[in-house]
Amino acid sequence: MALFKRGNVYWSYVWVNGIRHAKSTGSTNRRTAERIDQRFKEELNLARMGVVEPKPEMTFSELAARFLADGAPRPYHIDRLKPLLPYWGDTQIGRITKAGAREYRAYRHKAKKNLSDTTVNRDLEALRHMLFWAVDEGILLTNPLSRVPMVRERRKPRVMLTVTEEDKLLAAAAPHLRSIIIAALDSGMRRGEILAERWEHVDFTRRILYATKSKTAGGEAREIPLTERLLADLEARRKPEGVIFTFDKQPISRIKTAWKGALRRAGLRSIRFHDLRHAFNTRLLEVGVLKDIRKALMGHSSGEDVNSIYTHVEIGLRREAIQKLEGWAASQRKAAKEKAEKEDANERITDNGSGDTGNSLPER
């Protein structure tokens, strides 16, 4: 007999491999308790055989906790949990539906008027990813959001940082931020990649920087040739080991305050740090660098074909691309300087002309 009454409630006791498992049936009715006891035995037997029983009654909060512990979450998954958990936290994952996704979208737009559809799409993509993980783990039989439609995203014009604005920004930036800006403009790396860089990842002999902590698998351990400017900056601060970009000898985790201060002092419009990465890509496009080479430099996914494995073969093409980038920047600075000199000359001529006109009046 596996059922015993404790107080007014029946408890189920089952022995599996010499271990006693106890569970309250929560019922005072004998027949109901027997059915619960039988199901408890079946669940334990399936677990012993390695078969996972689906748990659609699990709340999203529980699923998120398991995903964070065992699902190899990316930083953007963790970031998307901030809006997802308050809304879905107490919802059973088996009750998440496409209609619920539409209601979530309406809720997000109502809570924040200027929120873009792109942002909500990213929220739902993260939610869908976690539900797919639940299916893989046997927690769910199917993903209710596997075919949820996403709102078509409107393309927005991206800010293109000019060379003149770049020089103003570098002049106004604090020394530690200036080095980070140079790395972003000359390598196209993401902020997280730059702040994670270590001196062990710089090959000064081959003039190569290895990006070892990337948002994408395609960006891991990619080789980025160093520009003359970035090489000179690294050489001036060269150390045998440790994190490259520091402040008061401590690793940097955030640059938000320093970034806003630099923009304010430089008198520039609102620019995101990520726009420096866009500037790198756009400038490569301006000088005719092929798409595949740009993707290799920026760490974008290059597909799963066999040729994507041999990315080191492209290092010569990458060096050529970086040289074109340096040439483009130099020509832009030269053109800006010539334009400024021409404008100054025109102003002097205008000033002299107005002065002559005033002195040419006859005296009486």
Side-chain angles (χ1 to χ4, degrees):
M1 180 65 68
L3 279 176
F4 294 91
K5 203 169 187 179
R6 292 176 57 183
N8 293 325
V9 177
Y10 284 99
W11 279 71
S12 173
Y13 294 92
V14 182
W15 289 84
V16 178
N17 296 333
I19 300 174
R20 190 183 74 162
H21 300 266
K23 178 180 180 180
S24 172
T25 65
S27 176
T28 58
N29 183 278
R30 176 78 184 191
R31 290 187 177 180
T32 302
E34 287 175 352
R35 289 198 296 269
I36 296 173
D37 174 61
Q38 183 60 35
R39 183 170 181 178
F40 184 41
K41 291 177 181 177
E42 292 173 356
E43 288 176 354
L44 290 173
N45 189 47
L46 288 172
R48 183 174 63 85
M49 301 297 291
V51 179
V52 180
E53 187 76 7
K55 297 180 181 178
E57 71 280 359
M58 178 185 290
T59 65
F60 179 70
S61 293
E62 295 177 77
L63 176 67
R66 291 188 58 173
F67 175 75
L68 291 176
D70 305 322
R74 289 283 185 172
Y76 58 88
H77 291 137
I78 300 172
D79 186 58
R80 293 298 167 183
L81 281 173
K82 295 175 183 177
L84 289 173
L85 278 174
Y87 186 88
W88 298 101
D90 296 330
T91 305
Q92 294 182 358
I93 57 177
R95 293 182 176 274
I96 296 176
T97 62
K98 292 179 183 178
R102 290 194 295 269
E103 291 171 3
Y104 172 78
R105 185 179 292 278
Y107 161 80
R108 288 282 275 146
H109 282 302
K110 185 178 180 180
K112 193 172 182 180
K113 298 295 183 181
N114 297 326
L115 193 70
S116 68
D117 287 320
T118 301
T119 299
V120 185
N121 282 351
R122 298 298 174 269
D123 290 351
L124 292 175
E125 286 169 1
L127 175 61
R128 182 173 60 185
H129 176 84
M130 293 179 207
L131 293 177
F132 271 126
W133 180 81
V135 173
D136 292 341
E137 293 293 308
I139 302 171
L140 280 177
L141 293 177
T142 59
N143 184 350
L145 300 186
S146 60
R147 295 175 64 84
V148 64
M150 298 292 176
V151 174
R152 186 171 181 178
E153 300 171 6
R154 295 179 178 273
R155 296 190 65 181
K156 294 182 179 179
R158 285 178 172 171
V159 176
M160 177 56 188
L161 187 72
T162 66
V163 171
T164 302
E165 290 174 329
E166 174 188 328
D167 291 340
K168 290 181 180 179
L169 180 61
L170 289 172
H176 71 283
L177 180 62
R178 184 179 184 276
S179 296
I180 294 172
I181 292 173
I182 289 174
L185 285 168
D186 289 8
S187 71
M189 289 195 296
R190 301 175 180 89
R191 177 174 55 95
E193 294 174 333
I194 294 172
L195 298 183
E197 280 300 303
R198 301 181 63 85
W199 289 109
E200 297 93 318
H201 303 152
V202 184
D203 187 337
F204 285 97
T205 303
R206 296 179 60 215
R207 299 176 57 162
I208 293 290
L209 179 67
Y210 296 93
T212 57
K213 185 178 180 181
S214 178
K215 180 179 177 180
T216 62
E220 294 288 353
R222 69 183 185 276
E223 299 176 336
I224 305 173
L226 296 172
T227 63
E228 292 290 345
R229 178 172 65 171
L230 182 53
L231 177 64
D233 180 76
L234 294 175
E235 284 280 14
R237 303 181 294 109
R238 186 172 180 174
K239 293 180 181 178
E241 60 183 15
V243 178
I244 294 177
F245 301 99
T246 60
F247 180 71
D248 285 344
K249 299 182 180 180
Q250 297 297 319
I252 300 171
S253 59
R254 299 184 65 185
I255 60 171
K256 188 175 182 179
T257 302
W259 176 254
K260 286 186 175 181
L263 290 178
R264 184 180 64 254
R265 290 190 295 272
L268 298 179
R269 64 191 188 282
S270 178
I271 301 172
R272 301 176 306 161
F273 183 83
H274 197 71
D275 289 326
L276 304 183
R277 178 171 162 86
H278 294 321
F280 175 80
N281 190 32
T282 304
R283 292 174 181 183
L284 291 177
L285 182 62
E286 288 275 353
V287 295
V289 175
L290 297 177
K291 181 179 179 180
D292 287 344
I293 300 175
R294 298 201 313 273
K295 287 171 66 176
L297 283 167
M298 297 188 70
H300 288 157
S301 176
S302 57
E304 299 300 327
D305 58 283
V306 65
N307 293 320
S308 67
I309 300 173
Y310 302 102
T311 54
H312 64 277
V313 177
E314 300 175 351
I315 190 63
L317 296 175
R318 296 191 202 189
R319 290 189 192 279
E320 183 181 341
I322 294 298
Q323 289 170 0
K324 288 182 178 180
L325 176 68
E326 290 183 289
W328 181 89
S331 66
Q332 291 292 308
R333 284 192 174 84
K334 182 179 179 182
K337 183 179 179 182
E338 291 176 350
K339 182 180 178 180
E341 290 175 348
K342 186 176 180 180
E343 289 175 351
D344 289 343
N346 290 337
E347 287 180 5
R348 287 196 297 271
I349 292 172
T350 302
D351 292 342
N352 291 336
S354 60
D356 291 343
T357 301
N359 293 331
S360 62
L361 293 175
E363 294 183 2
R364 293 187 179 181

